[in-house]
């Protein structure tokens, strides 16, 4: 087993320990502070018959809402936590047609889902908990179909909040191994430049959260 495999296994065990019980109350509690998730979903604009993959799909809450908003979309999800996928499978049910896999966000392939790529990829409040978050972005971009888009919502740097609020929030996030990625915009801009694509950005709640869309041009090489 390689060092990368060891790190992935360790992260999976940590997530399973964290969410074994939390998954039962996750959706009820997170709605108060995981801001911007519904906005990101509305912005997916999935074409009829198009595919959407959520990386770090957790309990399946976002995929369920995506399916209601875009009923002709094909739903896919991956998570490193087997415990979370128990909740996701129960929430989505067989009628949704959703394909769910246990996988590392930094080490997956569209072929694992029987696809050549995805039209939309969503990462919601996961990069701040993924140790190799830049690797996760690289894997996501590589799995996009030409003309596809990567949608990310996560904690920002709270740049426009009062200093005391910012310090308290960041100290609280640190207790749960959550690290807002201050270089997120730079990393996404580099990826977009490499592809000849573009990124869109908006701040939510005075920088409490950041929302990004990276668009891959239709003629971008694999």
């Amino acid at each position: 087993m390689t060092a990368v495999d060891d790190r992935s296994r360790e992260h999976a065990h940590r997530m399973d320990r964290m969410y074994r019980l939390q998954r039962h109350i996750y959706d009820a509690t997170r709605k108060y502070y995981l801001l911007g998730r519904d906005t990101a979903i509305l912005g997916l604009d999935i074409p009829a018959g198009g595919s959407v993959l959520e990386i770090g799909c957790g309990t399946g809450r976002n995929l369920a809402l995506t399916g209601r908003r875009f009923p002709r979309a094909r739903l896919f999800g991956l998570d490193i936590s087997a415990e979370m996928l128990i909740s996701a499978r129960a929430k989505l049910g067989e009628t949704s047609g959703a394909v769910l896999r246990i996988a590392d966000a930094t080490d997956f392939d569209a072929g694992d889902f029987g696809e050549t790529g995805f039209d939309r990829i969503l990462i919601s409040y996961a990069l701040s908990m993924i140790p190799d978050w830049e690797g996760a972005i690289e894997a996501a971009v590589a799995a996009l179909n030409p003309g596809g888009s990567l949608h990310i919502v996560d904690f920002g740097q709270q740049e426009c909040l009062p200093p005391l609020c910012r310090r308290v929030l960041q100290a609280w996030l640190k207790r749960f191994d959550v690290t807002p990625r201050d270089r997120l915009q730079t990393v996404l801009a580099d990826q977009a430049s490499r592809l000849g694509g573009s990124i869109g950005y908006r701040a939510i709640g005075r920088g409490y959260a950041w929302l990004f869309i990276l668009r891959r041009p239709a003629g971008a090489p694999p």
Side-chain angles (χ1 to χ4, degrees), residues 145-175:
N145 280 328
S149 53
L150 169 62
H151 300 247
I152 296 173
V153 60
D154 212 320
F155 292 106
Q157 293 297 299
Q158 300 86 47
E159 57 272 16
C160 294
L161 291 179
L164 178 59
C165 293
R166 183 181 182 185
R167 288 196 298 271
V168 170
L169 176 59
Q170 292 187 350
W172 179 71
L173 293 175
K174 188 175 181 179
R175 291 183 58 193

Coordinates of all heavy atoms in Angstrom, one line a residue, residues 145-175:
N145 N -17.0 17.0 -18.7 CA -17.1 16.9 -20.2 C -16.8 18.3 -20.8 O -16.9 19.3 -20.1 CB -18.6 16.6 -20.6 CG -18.9 15.1 -20.4 OD1 -18.1 14.3 -20.7 ND2 -20.2 14.8 -20.1
P146 N -16.3 18.3 -22.0 CA -16.1 19.6 -22.7 C -17.5 20.3 -22.7 O -18.5 19.8 -22.9 CB -15.8 19.2 -24.2 CG -15.1 17.8 -24.0 CD -15.9 17.1 -22.9
G147 N -17.4 21.6 -22.4 CA -18.6 22.4 -22.2 C -19.2 22.3 -20.8 O -20.2 23.0 -20.6
G148 N -18.6 21.5 -20.0 CA -19.2 21.3 -18.6 C -18.7 22.4 -17.7 O -17.9 23.2 -18.0
S149 N -19.2 22.3 -16.4 CA -18.9 23.3 -15.4 C -18.8 22.7 -14.0 O -19.5 21.7 -13.7 CB -19.9 24.4 -15.4 OG -21.2 24.0 -15.2
L150 N -17.8 23.2 -13.3 CA -17.6 22.8 -11.9 C -18.1 23.9 -11.0 O -17.7 25.0 -11.1 CB -16.1 22.6 -11.7 CG -15.6 22.4 -10.2 CD1 -16.2 21.2 -9.6 CD2 -14.0 22.4 -10.2
H151 N -19.0 23.5 -10.0 CA -19.6 24.4 -9.1 C -19.2 24.1 -7.7 O -19.3 23.0 -7.2 CB -21.1 24.3 -9.2 CG -21.7 24.5 -10.6 ND1 -22.5 25.6 -10.9 CD2 -21.5 23.9 -11.8 CE1 -22.8 25.6 -12.2 NE2 -22.2 24.5 -12.8
I152 N -18.6 25.1 -7.1 CA -18.1 25.0 -5.7 C -18.7 26.0 -4.8 O -18.7 27.2 -5.1 CB -16.5 25.1 -5.7 CG1 -15.9 24.0 -6.6 CG2 -16.0 25.1 -4.3 CD1 -14.4 24.2 -6.8
V153 N -19.2 25.6 -3.6 CA -19.5 26.5 -2.5 C -18.9 26.0 -1.3 O -18.9 24.8 -1.0 CB -21.1 26.6 -2.4 CG1 -21.7 25.2 -2.1 CG2 -21.5 27.6 -1.3
D154 N -18.3 26.9 -0.5 CA -17.6 26.5 0.7 C -17.3 27.7 1.5 O -17.6 28.9 1.1 CB -16.2 25.8 0.3 CG -15.8 24.7 1.3 OD1 -16.0 25.0 2.6 OD2 -15.3 23.7 0.9
F155 N -16.8 27.5 2.7 CA -16.5 28.6 3.6 C -15.5 29.5 2.9 O -14.5 29.1 2.3 CB -15.9 28.1 4.9 CG -16.9 27.4 5.8 CD1 -16.9 26.0 5.9 CD2 -17.9 28.1 6.4 CE1 -17.8 25.4 6.7 CE2 -18.9 27.5 7.2 CZ -18.8 26.1 7.4
G156 N -15.7 30.8 3.0 CA -14.8 31.8 2.5 C -13.8 32.2 3.6 O -13.6 31.5 4.6
Q157 N -13.3 33.4 3.4 CA -12.3 34.0 4.4 C -13.0 35.0 5.4 O -12.3 35.6 6.2 CB -11.1 34.6 3.7 CG -10.3 33.6 3.0 CD -9.6 32.6 3.9 OE1 -8.9 33.0 4.8 NE2 -9.9 31.3 3.7
Q158 N -14.3 35.1 5.3 CA -15.1 36.0 6.1 C -14.5 37.4 6.1 O -14.4 38.1 7.1 CB -15.2 35.5 7.6 CG -15.8 34.1 7.7 CD -14.9 33.0 7.5 OE1 -13.8 33.0 8.0 NE2 -15.3 32.0 6.7
E159 N -14.0 37.8 4.9 CA -13.2 39.0 4.7 C -14.0 40.3 5.1 O -13.3 41.3 5.4 CB -12.7 39.1 3.3 CG -13.7 39.0 2.2 CD -14.1 37.6 1.7 OE1 -13.8 36.7 2.4 OE2 -14.7 37.5 0.7
C160 N -15.3 40.3 5.0 CA -16.0 41.5 5.3 C -16.8 41.4 6.6 O -17.6 42.3 6.9 CB -17.0 41.8 4.2 SG -16.1 42.3 2.6
L161 N -16.6 40.4 7.4 CA -17.2 40.3 8.7 C -16.4 41.0 9.7 O -15.2 41.2 9.6 CB -17.3 38.8 9.1 CG -18.3 37.9 8.3 CD1 -18.2 36.5 8.9 CD2 -19.7 38.5 8.4
P162 N -17.0 41.5 10.8 CA -16.2 42.1 11.9 C -15.1 41.2 12.4 O -15.3 39.9 12.5 CB -17.3 42.3 13.0 CG -18.6 42.4 12.3 CD -18.4 41.4 11.1
P163 N -13.9 41.7 12.8 CA -12.8 40.9 13.2 C -13.1 39.8 14.2 O -12.7 38.7 14.2 CB -11.7 41.9 13.6 CG -12.1 43.1 12.8 CD -13.6 43.1 12.7
L164 N -13.9 40.2 15.3 CA -14.2 39.3 16.3 C -15.0 38.1 15.8 O -14.8 37.0 16.2 CB -15.0 40.0 17.5 CG -15.4 39.2 18.6 CD1 -14.2 38.5 19.3 CD2 -16.2 40.0 19.7
C165 N -16.0 38.4 15.0 CA -16.9 37.4 14.4 C -16.0 36.4 13.6 O -16.2 35.2 13.6 CB -18.0 38.0 13.5 SG -19.2 38.9 14.5
R166 N -15.1 37.0 12.9 CA -14.2 36.2 12.0 C -13.4 35.2 12.9 O -13.2 34.0 12.6 CB -13.3 37.1 11.2 CG -12.4 36.3 10.2 CD -11.6 37.3 9.4 NE -10.7 36.7 8.4 CZ -9.8 37.3 7.7 NH1 -9.7 38.6 7.8 NH2 -9.1 36.6 6.9
R167 N -12.8 35.8 13.9 CA -11.9 34.9 14.8 C -12.7 33.8 15.5 O -12.2 32.7 15.6 CB -11.2 35.8 15.8 CG -10.1 36.7 15.3 CD -9.2 37.3 16.4 NE -10.0 38.1 17.3 CZ -10.2 39.4 17.2 NH1 -9.7 40.0 16.2 NH2 -10.8 40.1 18.1
V168 N -13.9 34.1 16.0 CA -14.7 33.1 16.6 C -15.1 32.1 15.7 O -15.1 30.9 16.0 CB -16.0 33.8 17.3 CG1 -16.9 32.8 17.8 CG2 -15.5 34.7 18.4
L169 N -15.6 32.4 14.5 CA -16.0 31.5 13.5 C -14.8 30.5 13.1 O -15.0 29.3 13.0 CB -16.6 32.2 12.3 CG -17.0 31.2 11.1 CD1 -18.0 30.2 11.6 CD2 -17.5 32.1 9.9
Q170 N -13.7 31.1 12.8 CA -12.6 30.3 12.4 C -12.1 29.4 13.5 O -11.7 28.2 13.2 CB -11.4 31.2 11.8 CG -11.8 31.9 10.5 CD -10.7 32.6 9.9 OE1 -9.6 32.8 10.5 NE2 -10.9 33.1 8.7
A171 N -12.1 29.8 14.7 CA -11.8 28.9 15.8 C -12.7 27.8 16.0 O -12.3 26.6 16.3 CB -11.7 29.7 17.1
W172 N -14.0 28.1 15.8 CA -15.0 27.0 15.8 C -14.9 26.0 14.7 O -15.0 24.8 14.9 CB -16.4 27.7 15.8 CG -17.6 26.7 15.8 CD1 -18.0 26.0 16.9 CD2 -18.4 26.4 14.7 NE1 -19.1 25.2 16.5 CE2 -19.4 25.5 15.2 CE3 -18.5 26.9 13.4 CZ2 -20.4 25.0 14.4 CZ3 -19.5 26.4 12.6 CH2 -20.4 25.4 13.1
L173 N -14.6 26.5 13.5 CA -14.4 25.6 12.4 C -13.2 24.7 12.6 O -13.2 23.5 12.3 CB -14.2 26.4 11.1 CG -15.4 27.2 10.6 CD1 -15.1 28.0 9.4 CD2 -16.6 26.2 10.3
K174 N -12.1 25.2 13.2 CA -10.9 24.5 13.4 C -11.2 23.3 14.3 O -10.5 22.2 14.2 CB -9.8 25.4 14.0 CG -8.5 24.8 14.1 CD -7.4 25.8 14.6 CE -6.1 25.1 14.7 NZ -5.0 26.1 15.2
R175 N -12.1 23.4 15.3 CA -12.4 22.3 16.2 C -12.9 21.1 15.4 O -12.8 20.0 15.9 CB -13.5 22.8 17.2 CG -13.0 23.8 18.2 CD -14.1 24.1 19.2 NE -14.6 22.9 19.9 CZ -15.7 22.8 20.6 NH1 -16.5 23.9 20.7 NH2 -16.0 21.7 21.2

